[in-house]
Amino acid sequence: MAADLAVRPATPDDRPAVERLWLMFRHDLSEFQGGLPAADGGFRNEWVASAFTGPGWAPYLLTYGDRLAGLAFVRGLDGPVRVLNSFFVVRGARRRGIGLRAAREVLIRHPGPWEIAYQEDNPAAARFWARVATELAGDAWTREPRPVPGRPGLPPDVWISLTVPALPDADL
């Protein structure tokens, strides 16, 4: 079913759609992080701005057929380690292989060392990211809890570290 999936860089024209997807993403995370929306109904969104304008960042849009299916933000492209800063697949597109294929496509676009964080209280994310890491790096990946910077009241995030090999363009 993931055959109709497309992963493409998001453009400035895509920003309104990315901002709406961001609200859904942050709403999903609020279950694990305990965050509530601000008085205007929104969530913190400085990463949206960074994804579009920050050095070393790249925003991606996930589409399934002619529909939006999610987003991905990559940072650290100007450093030694890439970070999958944000990754979101809308609920209606989950459990179809779309997320696995999208994560793989985003990571293999930028071969080299990667780090991906998720919340320990999110068992679906733990299973998903372990599967992604194993598919891309075999047994050569690690999982490590780390404190959330500036948020001592939150449980640590779990960070997966792996190296994504360079693949021929035909494998995208």
Side-chain angles (χ1 to χ4, degrees), residues 22-37 43-47 84-87 91 116-123 125 146-159:
W22 180 261
L23 283 173
M24 289 184 257
F25 171 57
R26 295 303 300 183
H27 176 262
D28 274 9
L29 283 182
S30 71
E31 177 180 355
F32 307 104
Q33 295 179 337
L36 295 173
F43 290 90
R44 293 178 54 193
N45 67 354
E46 62 273 7
W47 285 350
L84 191 57
N85 180 273
S86 303
F87 184 82
R91 289 178 182 257
I116 304 163
Y118 62 89
Q119 289 69 45
E120 187 171 18
D121 292 343
N122 185 344
R146 297 183 198 163
V148 178
R151 311 274 313 265
L154 291 180
D157 283 339
V158 177
W159 285 82

Side-chain angles (χ1 to χ4, degrees), residues 134-155:
T134 300
E135 181 178 305
L136 290 171
D139 292 336
W141 60 275
T142 62
R143 185 182 345 222
E144 169 191 18
R146 297 183 198 163
V148 178
R151 311 274 313 265
L154 291 180

Side-chain angles (χ1 to χ4, degrees), residues 53-133:
T53 62
W57 285 74
Y60 289 95
L61 208 69
L62 318 178
T63 59
Y64 182 69
D66 64 348
R67 302 294 185 130
L68 293 176
L71 61 80
F73 295 166
V74 175
R75 66 178 166 88
L77 294 175
D78 54 354
V81 178
R82 297 120 191 83
V83 176
L84 191 57
N85 180 273
S86 303
F87 184 82
F88 172 70
V89 175
V90 298
R91 289 178 182 257
R94 294 178 189 171
R95 313 254 185 293
R96 300 180 188 192
I98 291 170
L100 186 63
R101 181 163 162 225
R104 179 182 181 269
E105 287 192 28
V106 169
L107 272 63
I108 65 174
R109 286 173 188 251
H110 308 284
W114 275 90
E115 291 187 334
I116 304 163
Y118 62 89
Q119 289 69 45
E120 187 171 18
D121 292 343
N122 185 344
R127 288 188 303 274
F128 176 79
W129 289 115
R131 185 171 174 199
V132 169

